[in-house]
Short mmCIF file of all heavy atoms in Angstrom, two decimals:
data_model
loop_
_atom_site.label_atom_id
_atom_site.label_comp_id
_atom_site.label_asym_id
_atom_site.label_seq_id
_atom_site.Cartn_x
_atom_site.Cartn_y
_atom_site.Cartn_z
N MET O 23 28.05 132.50 -96.87
CA MET O 23 27.20 132.32 -98.04
C MET O 23 26.67 133.72 -98.41
O MET O 23 26.19 134.47 -97.56
CB MET O 23 26.07 131.35 -97.61
CG MET O 23 25.01 131.20 -98.71
SD MET O 23 23.63 130.12 -98.22
CE MET O 23 24.41 128.70 -97.53
N ALA O 24 26.74 134.02 -99.66
CA ALA O 24 26.23 135.30 -100.18
C ALA O 24 24.74 135.19 -100.34
O ALA O 24 24.18 134.15 -100.74
CB ALA O 24 26.95 135.64 -101.47
N ARG O 25 24.10 136.32 -100.13
CA ARG O 25 22.64 136.39 -100.34
C ARG O 25 22.23 135.99 -101.76
O ARG O 25 21.17 135.38 -102.00
CB ARG O 25 22.08 137.82 -100.00
CG ARG O 25 20.61 137.94 -100.10
CD ARG O 25 20.15 139.32 -99.95
NE ARG O 25 20.75 139.92 -98.77
CZ ARG O 25 20.15 140.82 -97.98
NH1 ARG O 25 19.00 141.33 -98.36
NH2 ARG O 25 20.74 141.37 -96.94
N GLU O 26 23.09 136.33 -102.73
CA GLU O 26 22.80 135.95 -104.15
C GLU O 26 22.71 134.51 -104.40
O GLU O 26 22.13 134.05 -105.34
CB GLU O 26 23.85 136.64 -105.05
CG GLU O 26 23.84 138.10 -105.01
CD GLU O 26 24.54 138.76 -103.80
OE1 GLU O 26 25.37 138.08 -103.14
OE2 GLU O 26 24.18 139.87 -103.51
N ALA O 27 23.30 133.70 -103.52
CA ALA O 27 23.29 132.26 -103.65
C ALA O 27 21.95 131.65 -103.11
O ALA O 27 21.72 130.42 -103.26
CB ALA O 27 24.47 131.60 -102.92
N LEU O 28 21.13 132.46 -102.54
CA LEU O 28 19.87 131.96 -101.88
C LEU O 28 18.67 132.24 -102.81
O LEU O 28 18.67 133.21 -103.59
CB LEU O 28 19.61 132.71 -100.58
CG LEU O 28 20.73 132.53 -99.56
CD1 LEU O 28 20.48 133.45 -98.38
CD2 LEU O 28 20.91 131.13 -99.12
N GLN O 29 17.71 131.37 -102.74
CA GLN O 29 16.42 131.57 -103.48
C GLN O 29 15.49 132.35 -102.52
O GLN O 29 15.12 131.85 -101.49
CB GLN O 29 15.76 130.26 -103.91
CG GLN O 29 14.40 130.48 -104.54
CD GLN O 29 13.69 129.18 -104.78
OE1 GLN O 29 14.10 128.08 -104.33
NE2 GLN O 29 12.59 129.26 -105.46
N ARG O 30 15.15 133.54 -102.89
CA ARG O 30 14.27 134.40 -102.09
C ARG O 30 12.85 133.92 -102.29
O ARG O 30 12.35 133.92 -103.43
CB ARG O 30 14.45 135.86 -102.43
CG ARG O 30 13.77 136.81 -101.50
CD ARG O 30 14.18 138.22 -101.86
NE ARG O 30 13.54 139.16 -101.05
CZ ARG O 30 13.87 140.44 -101.01
NH1 ARG O 30 14.77 140.91 -101.77
NH2 ARG O 30 13.19 141.23 -100.22
N LEU O 31 12.18 133.58 -101.16
CA LEU O 31 10.77 133.07 -101.24
C LEU O 31 9.77 134.16 -100.98
O LEU O 31 8.58 133.96 -101.29
CB LEU O 31 10.61 131.90 -100.24
CG LEU O 31 11.50 130.72 -100.47
CD1 LEU O 31 11.33 129.70 -99.34
CD2 LEU O 31 11.30 130.05 -101.79
N THR O 32 10.18 135.23 -100.38
CA THR O 32 9.21 136.30 -99.96
C THR O 32 9.78 137.66 -100.34
O THR O 32 10.96 137.79 -100.61
CB THR O 32 8.98 136.26 -98.42
OG1 THR O 32 10.18 136.42 -97.74
CG2 THR O 32 8.32 134.91 -98.01
N GLY O 33 8.85 138.63 -100.33
CA GLY O 33 9.29 139.99 -100.55
C GLY O 33 9.76 140.31 -101.96
O GLY O 33 10.53 141.17 -102.16
N ASN O 34 9.22 139.59 -102.91
CA ASN O 34 9.63 139.78 -104.29
C ASN O 34 8.75 140.80 -105.02
O ASN O 34 8.47 140.64 -106.22
CB ASN O 34 9.61 138.46 -105.04
CG ASN O 34 10.67 137.56 -104.54
OD1 ASN O 34 11.86 137.88 -104.44
ND2 ASN O 34 10.28 136.33 -104.20
N GLY O 35 8.31 141.81 -104.32
CA GLY O 35 7.50 142.85 -104.93
C GLY O 35 6.02 142.56 -104.88
O GLY O 35 5.14 143.27 -105.43
N ASN O 36 5.63 141.52 -104.19
CA ASN O 36 4.17 141.13 -104.05
C ASN O 36 3.46 141.83 -102.87
O ASN O 36 2.35 141.53 -102.59
CB ASN O 36 4.04 139.60 -103.85
CG ASN O 36 4.63 138.87 -105.06
OD1 ASN O 36 4.56 139.34 -106.18
ND2 ASN O 36 5.16 137.73 -104.83
N GLY O 37 4.12 142.79 -102.25
CA GLY O 37 3.53 143.50 -101.11
C GLY O 37 4.31 144.76 -100.88
O GLY O 37 5.01 145.29 -101.72
N ASN O 38 4.22 145.25 -99.66
CA ASN O 38 4.88 146.49 -99.32
C ASN O 38 6.38 146.33 -98.99
O ASN O 38 7.08 147.30 -98.90
CB ASN O 38 4.18 147.11 -98.07
CG ASN O 38 2.79 147.49 -98.41
OD1 ASN O 38 2.49 147.87 -99.50
ND2 ASN O 38 1.93 147.52 -97.37
N CYS O 39 6.78 145.07 -98.83
CA CYS O 39 8.15 144.81 -98.38
C CYS O 39 8.99 144.15 -99.46
O CYS O 39 8.97 142.94 -99.56
CB CYS O 39 8.14 143.94 -97.10
SG CYS O 39 9.69 143.91 -96.25
N ASN O 40 9.68 144.93 -100.29
CA ASN O 40 10.42 144.32 -101.36
C ASN O 40 11.84 144.80 -101.40
O ASN O 40 12.51 144.76 -102.40
CB ASN O 40 9.76 144.54 -102.72
CG ASN O 40 9.57 145.96 -103.06
OD1 ASN O 40 10.08 146.83 -102.34
ND2 ASN O 40 8.78 146.30 -104.07
N THR O 41 12.33 145.29 -100.24
CA THR O 41 13.70 145.69 -100.18
C THR O 41 14.48 144.72 -99.33
O THR O 41 13.88 143.86 -98.63
CB THR O 41 13.84 147.10 -99.58
OG1 THR O 41 13.29 147.12 -98.29
CG2 THR O 41 13.10 148.14 -100.45
N ASP O 42 15.82 144.83 -99.30
CA ASP O 42 16.65 143.87 -98.59
C ASP O 42 16.59 143.93 -97.07
O ASP O 42 17.02 143.04 -96.39
CB ASP O 42 18.10 144.08 -99.00
CG ASP O 42 18.35 143.60 -100.45
OD1 ASP O 42 17.53 142.83 -100.97
OD2 ASP O 42 19.32 144.06 -100.98
N ASP O 43 15.98 145.05 -96.53
CA ASP O 43 15.98 145.21 -95.07
C ASP O 43 14.70 144.76 -94.42
O ASP O 43 14.42 145.04 -93.25
CB ASP O 43 16.32 146.66 -94.70
CG ASP O 43 15.28 147.62 -95.18
OD1 ASP O 43 14.46 147.26 -96.06
OD2 ASP O 43 15.34 148.79 -94.76
N CYS O 44 13.87 144.04 -95.20
CA CYS O 44 12.56 143.58 -94.64
C CYS O 44 12.69 142.10 -94.20
O CYS O 44 13.50 141.41 -94.64
CB CYS O 44 11.50 143.70 -95.71
SG CYS O 44 11.18 145.36 -96.17
N PRO O 45 11.74 141.67 -93.31
CA PRO O 45 11.71 140.25 -93.01
C PRO O 45 11.53 139.40 -94.24
O PRO O 45 10.66 139.76 -95.08
CB PRO O 45 10.52 140.12 -92.07
CG PRO O 45 10.33 141.50 -91.50
CD PRO O 45 10.71 142.40 -92.62
N ASN O 46 12.31 138.36 -94.42
CA ASN O 46 12.24 137.54 -95.62
C ASN O 46 12.55 136.10 -95.27
O ASN O 46 13.16 135.85 -94.21
CB ASN O 46 13.18 138.03 -96.75
CG ASN O 46 12.64 139.19 -97.51
OD1 ASN O 46 11.56 139.09 -98.13
ND2 ASN O 46 13.29 140.30 -97.42
N VAL O 47 12.17 135.21 -96.15
CA VAL O 47 12.49 133.79 -95.99
C VAL O 47 13.22 133.37 -97.30
O VAL O 47 12.81 133.71 -98.37
CB VAL O 47 11.21 132.94 -95.80
CG1 VAL O 47 11.55 131.43 -95.73
CG2 VAL O 47 10.48 133.40 -94.51
N TYR O 48 14.29 132.64 -97.13
CA TYR O 48 15.11 132.20 -98.24
C TYR O 48 15.31 130.69 -98.21
O TYR O 48 15.19 130.07 -97.11
CB TYR O 48 16.53 132.84 -98.21
CG TYR O 48 16.60 134.31 -98.17
CD1 TYR O 48 16.42 135.02 -97.00
CD2 TYR O 48 16.74 135.03 -99.37
CE1 TYR O 48 16.47 136.43 -97.00
CE2 TYR O 48 16.74 136.44 -99.37
CZ TYR O 48 16.63 137.10 -98.17
OH TYR O 48 16.65 138.45 -98.22
N ARG O 49 15.59 130.05 -99.34
CA ARG O 49 15.93 128.65 -99.40
C ARG O 49 17.33 128.50 -99.94
O ARG O 49 17.72 129.16 -100.93
CB ARG O 49 14.94 127.87 -100.30
CG ARG O 49 15.25 126.40 -100.31
CD ARG O 49 14.17 125.54 -101.00
NE ARG O 49 13.61 126.10 -102.19
CZ ARG O 49 12.57 125.63 -102.79
NH1 ARG O 49 11.97 124.61 -102.28
NH2 ARG O 49 12.10 126.26 -103.88
N THR O 50 18.12 127.64 -99.29
CA THR O 50 19.48 127.41 -99.72
C THR O 50 19.50 126.33 -100.82
O THR O 50 18.49 125.66 -101.02
CB THR O 50 20.37 126.86 -98.58
OG1 THR O 50 19.89 125.57 -98.19
CG2 THR O 50 20.34 127.84 -97.41
N ALA O 51 20.68 126.16 -101.50
CA ALA O 51 20.80 125.11 -102.52
C ALA O 51 20.53 123.77 -101.99
O ALA O 51 20.08 122.86 -102.68
CB ALA O 51 22.13 125.26 -103.15
N SER O 52 20.83 123.54 -100.69
CA SER O 52 20.60 122.20 -100.09
C SER O 52 19.16 122.02 -99.62
O SER O 52 18.88 120.98 -99.11
CB SER O 52 21.61 121.97 -98.97
OG SER O 52 21.32 122.91 -97.90
N GLY O 53 18.30 123.08 -99.67
CA GLY O 53 16.95 122.95 -99.29
C GLY O 53 16.63 123.44 -97.92
O GLY O 53 15.53 123.39 -97.46
N SER O 54 17.66 123.96 -97.14
CA SER O 54 17.39 124.53 -95.81
C SER O 54 16.66 125.86 -95.98
O SER O 54 16.76 126.48 -97.07
CB SER O 54 18.63 124.71 -95.01
OG SER O 54 19.61 123.84 -95.26
N ILE O 55 16.14 126.32 -94.94
CA ILE O 55 15.49 127.61 -94.90
C ILE O 55 16.21 128.61 -94.03
O ILE O 55 16.70 128.26 -92.95
CB ILE O 55 14.02 127.49 -94.33
CG1 ILE O 55 13.22 126.46 -95.18
CG2 ILE O 55 13.32 128.81 -94.21
CD1 ILE O 55 12.95 126.90 -96.58
N ILE O 56 16.44 129.83 -94.51
CA ILE O 56 17.05 130.89 -93.72
C ILE O 56 15.99 131.98 -93.59
O ILE O 56 15.28 132.38 -94.50
CB ILE O 56 18.28 131.43 -94.40
CG1 ILE O 56 19.33 130.38 -94.54
CG2 ILE O 56 18.79 132.68 -93.80
CD1 ILE O 56 20.59 130.82 -95.28
N VAL O 57 15.82 132.50 -92.33
CA VAL O 57 14.86 133.53 -92.05
C VAL O 57 15.54 134.84 -91.66
O VAL O 57 16.45 134.80 -90.83
CB VAL O 57 13.90 133.09 -90.90
CG1 VAL O 57 12.87 134.14 -90.54
CG2 VAL O 57 13.19 131.76 -91.31
N GLN O 58 15.12 135.87 -92.28
CA GLN O 58 15.65 137.22 -91.89
C GLN O 58 14.52 138.02 -91.24
O GLN O 58 13.43 138.09 -91.70
CB GLN O 58 16.05 137.97 -93.17
CG GLN O 58 16.46 139.41 -92.96
CD GLN O 58 16.69 140.14 -94.29
OE1 GLN O 58 16.68 139.54 -95.38
NE2 GLN O 58 16.83 141.44 -94.19
N GLY O 59 14.79 138.56 -90.06
CA GLY O 59 13.79 139.27 -89.33
C GLY O 59 14.40 140.13 -88.24
O GLY O 59 15.64 140.21 -88.08
N ASP O 60 13.54 140.73 -87.47
CA ASP O 60 13.99 141.49 -86.32
C ASP O 60 14.50 140.55 -85.21
O ASP O 60 13.92 139.48 -84.96
CB ASP O 60 12.84 142.34 -85.75
CG ASP O 60 12.38 143.40 -86.70
OD1 ASP O 60 13.19 143.90 -87.47
OD2 ASP O 60 11.18 143.62 -86.72
N VAL O 61 15.63 140.94 -84.59
CA VAL O 61 16.19 140.11 -83.54
C VAL O 61 15.21 140.08 -82.37
O VAL O 61 14.63 141.11 -82.02
CB VAL O 61 17.57 140.71 -83.08
CG1 VAL O 61 18.06 139.95 -81.88
CG2 VAL O 61 18.53 140.65 -84.18
N SER O 62 15.00 138.92 -81.86
CA SER O 62 14.09 138.69 -80.73
C SER O 62 14.85 138.36 -79.45
O SER O 62 15.86 137.62 -79.49
CB SER O 62 13.09 137.63 -81.07
OG SER O 62 12.30 137.30 -79.93
N ASP O 63 14.32 138.80 -78.34
CA ASP O 63 14.92 138.38 -77.05
C ASP O 63 13.92 137.63 -76.23
O ASP O 63 13.94 137.67 -75.00
CB ASP O 63 15.49 139.63 -76.29
CG ASP O 63 14.37 140.62 -75.97
OD1 ASP O 63 13.19 140.43 -76.33
OD2 ASP O 63 14.69 141.68 -75.31
N ALA O 64 13.07 136.85 -76.88
CA ALA O 64 12.00 136.11 -76.22
C ALA O 64 12.59 135.12 -75.22
O ALA O 64 11.99 134.88 -74.14
CB ALA O 64 11.14 135.32 -77.28
N PHE O 65 13.69 134.52 -75.51
CA PHE O 65 14.45 133.67 -74.57
C PHE O 65 15.88 133.55 -75.09
O PHE O 65 16.19 133.93 -76.20
CB PHE O 65 13.78 132.27 -74.43
CG PHE O 65 13.78 131.43 -75.69
CD1 PHE O 65 14.87 130.60 -76.01
CD2 PHE O 65 12.71 131.49 -76.54
CE1 PHE O 65 14.85 129.83 -77.12
CE2 PHE O 65 12.69 130.77 -77.70
CZ PHE O 65 13.75 129.89 -78.00
N GLN O 66 16.78 132.96 -74.27
CA GLN O 66 18.18 132.92 -74.67
C GLN O 66 18.39 131.57 -75.39
O GLN O 66 18.28 130.48 -74.76
CB GLN O 66 19.05 132.93 -73.41
CG GLN O 66 20.58 132.87 -73.71
CD GLN O 66 21.01 134.09 -74.49
OE1 GLN O 66 20.62 135.17 -74.23
NE2 GLN O 66 21.80 133.83 -75.54
N PRO O 67 18.68 131.54 -76.67
CA PRO O 67 18.94 130.33 -77.39
C PRO O 67 20.25 129.71 -77.08
O PRO O 67 21.12 130.44 -76.55
CB PRO O 67 18.81 130.77 -78.84
CG PRO O 67 19.24 132.17 -78.84
CD PRO O 67 18.77 132.75 -77.56
N PRO O 68 20.53 128.52 -77.46
CA PRO O 68 21.79 127.89 -77.25
C PRO O 68 22.90 128.64 -77.99
O PRO O 68 22.61 129.33 -78.95
CB PRO O 68 21.63 126.50 -77.81
CG PRO O 68 20.22 126.21 -77.81
CD PRO O 68 19.52 127.53 -78.01
N ALA O 69 24.10 128.53 -77.59
CA ALA O 69 25.28 129.13 -78.21
C ALA O 69 25.29 128.79 -79.70
O ALA O 69 25.03 127.61 -80.09
CB ALA O 69 26.55 128.66 -77.59
N GLY O 70 25.54 129.72 -80.52
CA GLY O 70 25.58 129.55 -81.98
C GLY O 70 24.26 129.70 -82.68
O GLY O 70 24.21 129.56 -83.88
N GLU O 71 23.22 129.86 -81.93
CA GLU O 71 21.86 130.03 -82.54
C GLU O 71 21.33 131.43 -82.20
O GLU O 71 21.79 132.13 -81.32
CB GLU O 71 20.89 129.01 -81.96
CG GLU O 71 21.28 127.60 -82.35
CD GLU O 71 20.25 126.56 -81.87
OE1 GLU O 71 19.18 126.95 -81.39
OE2 GLU O 71 20.54 125.41 -82.02
N GLY O 72 20.33 131.85 -82.97
CA GLY O 72 19.74 133.16 -82.76
C GLY O 72 18.24 133.15 -82.98
O GLY O 72 17.72 132.18 -83.65
N LEU O 73 17.58 134.05 -82.52
CA LEU O 73 16.08 134.15 -82.67
C LEU O 73 15.73 135.33 -83.55
O LEU O 73 16.32 136.42 -83.36
CB LEU O 73 15.37 134.31 -81.33
CG LEU O 73 15.63 133.28 -80.23
CD1 LEU O 73 14.90 133.66 -78.98
CD2 LEU O 73 15.13 131.95 -80.73
N VAL O 74 14.83 135.15 -84.50
CA VAL O 74 14.33 136.29 -85.24
C VAL O 74 12.78 136.23 -85.25
O VAL O 74 12.21 135.18 -85.05
CB VAL O 74 14.83 136.33 -86.73
CG1 VAL O 74 16.33 136.49 -86.70
CG2 VAL O 74 14.36 135.16 -87.49
N GLU O 75 12.20 137.41 -85.40
CA GLU O 75 10.76 137.47 -85.39
C GLU O 75 10.30 137.96 -86.79
O GLU O 75 10.85 138.98 -87.26
CB GLU O 75 10.33 138.49 -84.29
CG GLU O 75 8.86 138.54 -84.11
CD GLU O 75 8.48 139.40 -82.96
OE1 GLU O 75 9.32 139.64 -82.04
OE2 GLU O 75 7.28 139.81 -82.86
N ILE O 76 9.32 137.31 -87.39
CA ILE O 76 8.80 137.73 -88.68
C ILE O 76 7.29 137.74 -88.62
O ILE O 76 6.67 137.04 -87.85
CB ILE O 76 9.24 136.79 -89.83
CG1 ILE O 76 8.73 135.38 -89.62
CG2 ILE O 76 10.72 136.82 -89.98
CD1 ILE O 76 8.95 134.45 -90.77
N PRO O 77 6.65 138.60 -89.41
CA PRO O 77 5.17 138.63 -89.49
C PRO O 77 4.63 137.35 -89.98
O PRO O 77 5.21 136.68 -90.87
CB PRO O 77 4.87 139.83 -90.40
CG PRO O 77 6.08 140.60 -90.49
CD PRO O 77 7.24 139.66 -90.24
N GLU O 78 3.48 136.95 -89.55
CA GLU O 78 2.80 135.72 -90.01
C GLU O 78 2.68 135.74 -91.55
O GLU O 78 2.80 134.75 -92.25
CB GLU O 78 1.45 135.52 -89.34
CG GLU O 78 0.73 134.27 -89.80
CD GLU O 78 -0.59 134.10 -89.12
OE1 GLU O 78 -0.76 134.54 -87.99
OE2 GLU O 78 -1.47 133.53 -89.74
N SER O 79 2.38 136.92 -92.12
CA SER O 79 2.10 137.08 -93.52
C SER O 79 3.37 136.66 -94.34
O SER O 79 3.24 136.13 -95.43
CB SER O 79 1.73 138.53 -93.89
OG SER O 79 2.75 139.43 -93.50
N VAL O 80 4.57 136.94 -93.80
CA VAL O 80 5.82 136.54 -94.46
C VAL O 80 5.94 134.99 -94.49
O VAL O 80 6.30 134.41 -95.55
CB VAL O 80 7.01 137.16 -93.77
CG1 VAL O 80 8.33 136.63 -94.37
CG2 VAL O 80 6.97 138.70 -93.94
N LEU O 81 5.61 134.34 -93.43
CA LEU O 81 5.65 132.92 -93.32
C LEU O 81 4.60 132.31 -94.31
O LEU O 81 4.92 131.36 -95.03
CB LEU O 81 5.43 132.40 -91.90
CG LEU O 81 5.60 130.96 -91.67
CD1 LEU O 81 7.00 130.48 -92.09
CD2 LEU O 81 5.37 130.63 -90.24
N ARG O 82 3.44 132.85 -94.36
CA ARG O 82 2.39 132.36 -95.27
C ARG O 82 2.86 132.51 -96.75
O ARG O 82 2.69 131.63 -97.58
CB ARG O 82 1.07 133.06 -95.03
CG ARG O 82 0.37 132.67 -93.79
CD ARG O 82 -0.97 133.41 -93.61
NE ARG O 82 -1.55 133.10 -92.40
CZ ARG O 82 -2.35 132.04 -92.14
NH1 ARG O 82 -2.57 131.15 -93.09
NH2 ARG O 82 -2.86 131.78 -90.91
N GLU O 83 3.46 133.61 -97.08
CA GLU O 83 4.01 133.84 -98.38
C GLU O 83 5.04 132.81 -98.79
O GLU O 83 5.10 132.30 -99.87
CB GLU O 83 4.56 135.30 -98.48
CG GLU O 83 5.06 135.59 -99.90
CD GLU O 83 5.64 137.03 -100.00
OE1 GLU O 83 5.56 137.81 -99.01
OE2 GLU O 83 6.24 137.32 -101.09
N ALA O 84 5.90 132.48 -97.81
CA ALA O 84 6.96 131.52 -98.03
C ALA O 84 6.36 130.08 -98.28
O ALA O 84 6.81 129.40 -99.19
CB ALA O 84 7.93 131.42 -96.84
N VAL O 85 5.29 129.73 -97.52
CA VAL O 85 4.63 128.44 -97.75
C VAL O 85 4.02 128.39 -99.14
O VAL O 85 4.13 127.38 -99.81
CB VAL O 85 3.56 128.23 -96.62
CG1 VAL O 85 2.69 127.06 -97.00
CG2 VAL O 85 4.28 128.04 -95.27
N ARG O 86 3.41 129.52 -99.55
CA ARG O 86 2.77 129.53 -100.95
C ARG O 86 3.91 129.41 -101.95
O ARG O 86 3.71 128.66 -102.97
CB ARG O 86 2.02 130.91 -101.15
CG ARG O 86 0.70 130.90 -100.53
CD ARG O 86 -0.11 132.04 -101.07
NE ARG O 86 0.42 133.38 -100.73
CZ ARG O 86 0.30 134.04 -99.64
NH1 ARG O 86 -0.45 133.50 -98.65
NH2 ARG O 86 0.83 135.19 -99.43
N ALA O 87 5.07 130.03 -101.79
CA ALA O 87 6.17 129.95 -102.73
C ALA O 87 6.69 128.54 -102.80
O ALA O 87 7.17 128.13 -103.90
CB ALA O 87 7.25 130.94 -102.40
N LEU O 88 6.61 127.78 -101.77
CA LEU O 88 7.10 126.40 -101.71
C LEU O 88 6.09 125.42 -102.26
O LEU O 88 6.30 124.23 -102.30
CB LEU O 88 7.50 126.03 -100.32
CG LEU O 88 8.74 126.69 -99.77
CD1 LEU O 88 8.90 126.51 -98.28
CD2 LEU O 88 9.99 126.22 -100.53
N GLY O 89 4.89 125.93 -102.64
CA GLY O 89 3.85 125.07 -103.22
C GLY O 89 2.90 124.52 -102.17
O GLY O 89 2.18 123.55 -102.48
N GLY O 90 2.82 125.11 -100.99
CA GLY O 90 1.98 124.58 -99.94
C GLY O 90 0.66 125.25 -99.81
O GLY O 90 0.28 126.11 -100.45
#
């Protein structure tokens, strides 16, 4: 899936992080959420899954964008 096919919920110039290499939250056409962040090694996830870490402010911004 190309990034252009996703709805970007965060980092749209409303803060210091508005480039592609910052933690962000996206929504897919089917309504799922994709999170971009720093890789975390907090624990070993199941095969095929990964962990990312994002600042709380990014998550709050995503909730606001979703109307919450």
Side-chain angles (χ1 to χ4, degrees):
M23 173 181 314
R25 185 184 310 209
E26 294 77 23
L28 303 173
Q29 177 187 8
R30 190 171 178 171
L31 300 175
T32 59
N34 292 311
N36 298 328
N38 295 331
C39 192
N40 58 10
T41 61
D42 291 339
D43 63 346
C44 296
N46 280 299
V47 177
Y48 302 87
R49 181 169 41 190
T50 67
S52 66
S54 329
I55 301 296
I56 296 178
V57 178
Q58 173 187 350
D60 295 327
V61 175
S62 173
D63 61 358
F65 63 89
Q66 183 63 45
E71 295 183 7
L73 303 176
V74 298
E75 186 173 342
I76 60 170
E78 182 179 329
S79 60
V80 172
L81 187 56
R82 289 181 183 275
E83 183 181 352
V85 169
R86 281 192 300 275
L88 290 168

